[in-house]
Amino acid sequence: MGEWKTVYEDEVEERWVTLKVYESKDDEEDDDDDGLVVRVTVAPIDDEPEQKGDEPKPIAKPDAEDNSITLDPDAVEDLEEELIEIGFSPEAVRWIVSKVPD
């Protein structure tokens, strides 16, 4: 068994991006490179807080699941295409993909 490890989490083009890689306990013993397994979750950020009383409404946190999109590409190479499909610029796509460990 393994676990998902967050390798990058930040705002990119007004959306919260969380990049995770799957680390398997068998990876250390397995010399076959089946490719890295990645998962990207993209959530909108509420950039206009509503005023209620004295406290502004907090900005959406990465765990806001209402409008989030999760990408599970078959290969890291497919991640670029999937990020472009959901509206990221080529520069943002290169930035996000650069965070995937080698």
Side-chain angles (χ1 to χ4, degrees):
M1 286 304 233
E3 62 184 33
W4 288 100
K5 178 182 174 189
T6 301
V7 294
Y8 178 73
E9 191 170 46
D10 203 357
E11 179 184 342
V12 178
E13 293 186 340
E14 299 179 14
R15 291 184 266 183
W16 192 259
V17 175
T18 304
L19 173 64
K20 296 182 179 188
V21 295
Y22 189 77
E23 290 188 342
S24 174
K25 304 247 188 242
D26 298 335
D27 285 346
E28 297 165 2
E29 301 166 8
D30 189 9
D31 289 337
D32 295 336
D33 185 21
D34 294 334
L36 193 60
V37 179
V38 297
R39 172 177 288 163
V40 177
T41 303
V42 179
I45 294 178
D46 183 11
D47 58 355
E48 295 182 27
E50 293 179 13
Q51 294 290 338
K52 288 188 179 180
D54 294 337
E55 297 292 321
K57 182 180 174 186
I59 293 177
K61 298 292 181 202
D63 61 327
E65 307 240 352
D66 315 346
N67 299 318
S68 67
I69 299 170
T70 300
L71 305 174
D72 287 315
D74 292 331
V76 175
E77 295 79 27
D78 296 338
L79 179 59
E80 292 182 31
E81 182 179 329
E82 291 187 25
L83 288 168
I84 288 173
E85 284 178 9
I86 63 169
F88 281 102
S89 69
E91 295 80 21
V93 169
R94 283 192 293 275
W95 175 256
I96 295 167
V97 171
S98 75
K99 302 301 179 186
V100 176
D102 292 332

